[in-house]
Amino acid sequence: MTGALMEARGLTRRFGSVTALDGVDFDLKPGEIHCLFGENGAGKSTLASILAGVIAPDDGALAVGGGPRRYGSPADAIADGVGMVHQHFALVEAFTVLENLMVGLPGRGWRPDRAGLAVRARALAEDLGIALDPAARVSTLSVGERQWIEILKSLMEAGRILILDEPTAVLTPEESRRLFAMLDGLKRRGLGIVLVSHKLVEVMQSDRVTVLRRGRKVATLATADTDPGTLTRMMIGASPPPEGTQAPRAAGAVVVETRALTSAESAGGVPARDVSLTIRAGEIVGVAGVAGNGQAALFDMLAGALAPASGEIVIDGARVSPVSPTEMMRRGVRCIPEDRFRQGLVGEMSISENLMLGRHRAAPFRRGPFVDYGAADRVAANVIDAFRIATTGPQARAASLSGGNAQKVLLAREMAPGGRVLLANQPTRGLDVGVVATVHAALRAKRDEGAAVLLASEELDDLLALCDRILVMFRGRVMAAMSARDADVERIGALMAGRQPEAAA
Amino acid sequence: MSADLYDGAIVVSILAATLRTMTPLLFSAMGELVTQRAGIWNMSVEGAMLSGAFAAYIAIATTGSPVLALLAAIFAGMMVSLLNAILTASLKVDHFVAGLALNLLAAGLTLFWFRAFISGRGQPTFDGLAPPDWALADLPVLGPILFAQRPLTWLAFLCVPLVWFLLYRTRQGLELRCLGENPAVLDFKGVNVVARQYAASLFGGAMTGLGGGFLILAFSDRFLPDITAGRGWLVVVAIIAGGWRPLGVLAAVTVFAFLEALAIHAQVLGLGLPHQLFLAAPYIASLLLLTHLRHRDRQPALLGEVYRRGER
Ligand SMILES: Nc1ncnc2c1ncn2[C@@H]1O[C@H](COP(=O)(O)OP(=O)(O)O)[C@@H](O)[C@H]1O
Ligand SMILES: [Mg+2]
């Protein structure tokens, strides 16, 4: 193939017994956006990291600009003009923007050239249409602004090939549109762009797409010649499970009510401010908003993990006081927290132990004063079967599970009978369509059972597919509430960014 | 004691003792601050200081040379911190476990070697580091406080601005701070994270060893198995209390050293409190500081976290 910026043949990489990448070919042309598309664990990040010199392949060959390469470290890739924006932020929050741009820059000597770097950064930022304050501390920047800094950093070091690993996972719809506008500009200047994504809307904006499944390449296609249905089938190797339909139902009695619920400013993160909401039995209420706008505080208070500074929580007509986790558990509140590994599961415990947590004192896990591990293993085996969890068995450590499988364990635990209120904060974050469908089905099943469900998600698709009513949160406040039927994506997007759209009516 | 001792002479003596006492703490604290900013929560400071003191003792008892003794102290401190780096940076052992194990090792080995060294010949004593004898030392007030100090004391104070400059004004310092905040950033740029952590550890060990060497050469004429008496732990507390900033650490070290200087003068001051209370004062102060501190958010974000590439 001539004119390729980058070309790879037969890339293979194993991690222990897992073959993360198995004989994959890949090529990138100047001036194109080439998407890597696949489920969680398909090997997208592994491929992207090999291209950027972050990990070395066990087998296969790589050529950049026609010359063969064996990258020993990312520094070699950077020297070739290959830069990468990683899936998780690689910025130092305690540093200023300029310090972040300075870290790890190739160069010698003891004193970095701050002024020169600031000038270069400003010029490039202007080119990209980014507002840049080199002296601002990264911890004060919004998630979107941080992503621009990441991109800027990559481009300052390496200007030929830009690799982005799920860059929109953390962005609002509007920010992702801006990102694509930025990428279009770069593409027109002849950069080659590798974009990792599992979102169809994004894939459809690329020039070519390579679909990966379980470490193997399924196909490389021109995006114009394909369609979302085909890509999805290629990605999961089967047809996706059908989404349930939204039949109008009569909502039941009010189960949860909050009155001017406010959390302390000092609790860390953005507090919830003056939140009043109601959730009825058999209803899913959605909370739209970029994560970090007070949802965590609201959910923590409802789960009893954080005491409100003022306001009250009423469940089944009775005020909850004091607000504590045991009290909330007793009233049937169950919770799928935002960070499944830190708050939801104990990584060092087995799947069966994790499934028992919090209900180990009740049947079927209790046998006199002892815990019935046999029963726990049987429950776990059933869950592994029912949710099709990819693992070695009930004794596998939770930390060994991929994000999607870990989420299924959490879902199974929190969905178990006895829960009347289900709180789910960002339950589909980072998951592929297969697991997302499982999460959706679980929330619907819970609703149909008559539970009151509160769902916060950055993905408007989740909310529009599932909710009866939608609230929008920004900086801790509820900006607006609407019925899902009249919800419109533009308006919610604007509210999520803190703007009250001019009232049309 | 008589009231006429409550005059300037005692104050001068206390202040002079404060600076003297600060010296080993400052060396060690500035070194370990660098280690901690690199993300290594080094708990083996006490062991490294003890090893430094012991190595200085063996060297001076056999050669009589203070310079060789200080070099031996630096070397011994570096050996302990090298072990710590091997355990934490390379073998990914929990930082606390590694540090505590090294303290036990250092205490056991120094005692064993000390017994072996003195068996049959008794404990030799030595002439350590004497303060300079020059005209400035005879100045009233400032003479004893500033100019009758050993040159190493001046060097210890000079370390504070030097470390500050290193951390905040150089490329290496920026990257060092980055190690403690988010090593993945450097890793993604092809910077060798483990090598940098070794370098920072060795610097800390050298400085702590030097502190241990000063401790024995300036304060004693023989080795005692508990000569460090928890000073390594005070250093760890001073770094936390100082919010991981050079000036903050300097302030905390000053407080501890002042309390220790007071304890030395407790008899003379005759405050009627038990002597033991004074001796315990720096440690009580460190407890109070730790329980009342509100600025743990200044802690490097990933201090003490074992770094493995590609882990969440
Ligand atoms: N550092 C690692 N250690 C062990 N296994 C890994 C590592 N990185 C990736 N894997 C495994 O390799 C497979 C592919 O992972 P990855 O490339 O991250 O997938 P994707 O980015 O498509 O979600 C997964 O099964 C994952 O568990
Ligand atoms: Mg990935």
Side-chain angles (χ1 to χ4, degrees), chain A residues 178-193:
Chain A
R178 237 183 109 187
L179 173 71
F180 275 92
M182 213 181 281
L183 295 184
D184 268 334
L186 293 172
K187 176 174 122 173
R188 265 182 265 116
R189 276 193 253 157
L191 257 80
I193 296 169

Side-chain angles (χ1 to χ4, degrees), chain A residues 168 188 307 327 365 411:
Chain A
T168 60
R188 265 182 265 116
E327 190 57 32
F365 302 112
L411 267 181

Side-chain angles (χ1 to χ4, degrees), chain A residues 45 87 165-166:
Chain A
S45 296
Q87 190 163 2
D165 195 354
E166 306 207 10

Side-chain angles (χ1 to χ4, degrees), chain B residues 193-283:
Chain B
V193 168
V194 170
R196 299 279 175 118
Q197 289 185 329
Y198 268 78
S201 286
L202 287 173
F203 178 74
M207 296 284 279
T208 295
L210 179 61
F214 181 89
L215 187 68
I216 192 165
L217 296 180
F219 291 86
S220 181
D221 61 353
R222 69 192 68 212
F223 181 76
L224 304 166
D226 63 343
I227 185 157
T228 45
R231 283 186 181 80
W233 294 108
L234 279 186
V235 165
V236 174
V237 175
I239 292 171
I240 300 170
W244 288 269
R245 305 286 191 277
L247 285 179
V249 174
L250 173 66
V253 165
T254 310
V255 170
F256 292 153
F258 178 72
L259 289 171
E260 204 179 317
L262 274 187
I264 301 168
H265 293 79
Q267 310 269 309
V268 199
L269 289 169
L271 294 182
L273 293 169
H275 179 58
Q276 285 79 0
L277 190 65
F278 276 97
L279 287 181
Y283 305 95

